[in-house]
């Protein structure tokens, strides 16, 4: 019943408006660039200084002078701009990005995000996330609903060091689409065949609804 990482990326892409300026976090969110809905085209930004890049090139055709912040090869679209790293962060900090889609270790029901450290024994990796969560107009998260050992990643309160406070507005998980509204997890969609109670058992804070919950159906990708 779980969505794959590719299917989560497809679902996240459906909510990006035409012409939006979007930053995609390292890892799973990078795949969102592959799934622009027909008639819509986002303008993708990367912290290392590119605005307007396209999908990943075909294997064997990479130009390794053209990479995103995750060191993945990218292609260029007409009008692509290059700029200094400092200018890139000025765009972020100046509030010029419409959307940031990031990965996460934990998300709390009040919108707190933990995505840079797994604790004292982990290797910290701050990157640009702390700037993005405060500079982007909308912050969404792509994540597995539970850890590898089955523990909830959606919690009443984060236990790991925070990246940002009250910054996340929507979560695209492997099982559901959940909004964060007035300090609560508001369930919008869930994978077919999964009951509300079963999903709640895998979630570390109460799930709320304000109407019918839609089926989360993604194509085979």
């Amino acid at each position: 019943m779980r969505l794959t990482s590719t299917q989560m990326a497809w679902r996240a892409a459906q909510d990006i408006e035409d012409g939006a300026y979007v930053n995609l976090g390292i890892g799973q969110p990078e795949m969102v660039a592959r799934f622009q809905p027909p008639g819509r085209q986002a303008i993708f930004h990367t912290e290392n200084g590119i605005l307007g890049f396209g999908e990943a090139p075909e294997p064997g055709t990479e130009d390794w002078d053209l990479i995103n912040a995750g060191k993945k090869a990218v292609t260029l679209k007409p009008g692509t701009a290059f700029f200094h790293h400092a200018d890139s962060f000025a765009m972020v900090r100046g509030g010029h990005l419409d959307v940031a889609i990031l990965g996460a270790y934990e998300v709390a029901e009040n919108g707190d995000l933990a995505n840079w450290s797994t604790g004292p024994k982990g290797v910290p990796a701050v990157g640009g996330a702390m700037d993005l969560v405060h500079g982007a107009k909308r912050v969404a998260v792509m994540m597995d609903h539970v850890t590898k050992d089955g523990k909830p990643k959606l919690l009443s309160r984060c236990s790991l060091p925070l990246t940002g406070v009250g910054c996340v507005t929507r979560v695209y998980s492997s099982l559901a689409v959940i909004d964060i509204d007035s300090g609560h997890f508001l369930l919008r969609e869930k994978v077919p065949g999964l009951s509300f109670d079963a999903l709640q058992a895998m979630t570390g804070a109460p799930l709320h609804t304000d109407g019918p919950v839609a089926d989360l159906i993604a194509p085979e990708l």
Side-chain angles (χ1 to χ4, degrees):
M1 293 186 291
R2 297 175 186 273
L3 299 187
T4 65
S5 296
T6 308
Q7 289 173 317
M8 282 190 281
W10 173 88
R11 178 60 188 86
Q14 307 313 300
D15 291 339
I16 299 175
E17 297 181 355
D18 185 43
Y21 291 94
V22 182
N23 184 283
L24 302 176
I26 294 171
Q28 292 178 340
E30 291 173 320
M31 292 187 286
V32 172
R34 295 167 50 187
F35 300 112
Q36 292 299 280
R40 279 187 265 166
Q41 180 58 61
I43 302 165
F44 292 110
H45 165 277
T46 180
E47 297 101 304
N48 59 316
I50 310 177
L51 186 66
F53 66 90
E55 297 180 12
E58 292 295 325
T61 66
E62 298 93 343
D63 178 346
W64 291 107
D65 287 328
L66 304 176
I67 60 172
N68 63 19
K71 301 182 177 64
K72 306 288 197 317
V74 297
T75 57
L76 305 182
K77 291 183 174 294
T80 296
F82 300 92
F83 34 86
H84 192 278
H85 201 105
D87 293 326
S88 180
F89 273 85
M91 295 178 188
V92 175
R93 295 167 182 168
H96 302 291
L97 295 182
D98 296 301
V99 184
I101 302 177
L102 305 171
Y105 297 129
E106 295 176 343
V107 175
E109 62 183 342
N110 67 346
D112 289 354
L113 170 67
N115 83 339
W116 71 274
S117 173
T118 56
K121 296 182 180 180
V123 178
V126 176
M130 291 183 178
D131 294 277
L132 287 165
V133 298
H134 294 290
K137 296 171 185 173
R138 179 169 75 86
V139 176
V141 162
M142 266 181 63
M143 62 189 296
D144 291 325
H145 202 88
V146 297
T147 65
K148 292 180 180 179
D149 56 0
K151 294 179 181 178
K153 298 178 70 172
L154 294 162
L155 305 167
S156 58
R157 183 174 181 178
C158 292
S159 63
L160 296 173
L162 295 183
T163 305
V165 174
C167 55
V168 179
T169 57
R170 174 162 278 202
V171 175
Y172 302 96
S173 88
S174 51
L175 297 175
V177 176
I178 297 171
D179 283 340
I180 294 173
D181 183 42
S182 302
H184 300 296
F185 288 137
L186 188 60
L187 180 62
R188 295 299 189 188
E189 303 172 20
K190 61 180 178 63
V191 294
L194 179 67
S195 70
F196 179 91
D197 289 343
L199 181 63
Q200 180 64 80
M202 292 183 279
T203 308
L207 291 169
H208 298 259
T209 62
D210 63 358
V213 176
D215 283 339
L216 175 50
I217 300 174
E220 295 292 334
L221 299 167

